[in-house]
Amino acid sequence: GSEGVLSQRLTSMKNERRGLDDRIERMQARLDKYEAQLVQQYAKLEQLVSGLQSQSSQLSAALTGLQ
């Protein structure tokens, strides 16, 4: 009777939770991978900006020397 229905409902809810937990794990793995890519991109951009700042300083010094 009602015990069988409750048991089925409980089993169904447990399976649903397990499925949601798996989905959360997969999404977290994707987010972790994306974060690593962004950190790598940021590091490359920092390097690029540093190089451009150095180049800017050199050009400014060269222009000052021409005056």
Side-chain angles (χ1 to χ4, degrees):
S2 64
E3 285 184 25
V5 172
L6 290 175
S7 178
Q8 286 177 345
R9 181 71 179 132
L10 186 58
T11 300
S12 174
M13 290 174 79
K14 285 179 182 178
N15 289 338
E16 185 177 348
R17 180 180 172 180
R18 203 172 303 127
L20 289 172
D21 287 344
D22 290 345
R23 188 172 170 201
I24 288 169
E25 279 185 40
R26 287 193 307 272
M27 291 176 85
Q28 186 62 53
R30 285 176 54 202
L31 285 172
D32 291 345
K33 183 178 177 180
Y34 185 57
E35 180 186 20
Q37 290 172 344
L38 289 176
V39 167
Q40 189 177 27
Q41 275 183 327
Y42 184 79
K44 286 180 182 179
L45 287 172
E46 275 189 320
Q47 220 174 12
L48 179 64
V49 168
S50 177
L52 290 173
Q53 286 173 334
S54 175
Q55 193 175 32
S56 173
S57 295
Q58 290 172 357
L59 288 172
S60 292
L63 289 174
T64 301
L66 290 177
Q67 294 177 352

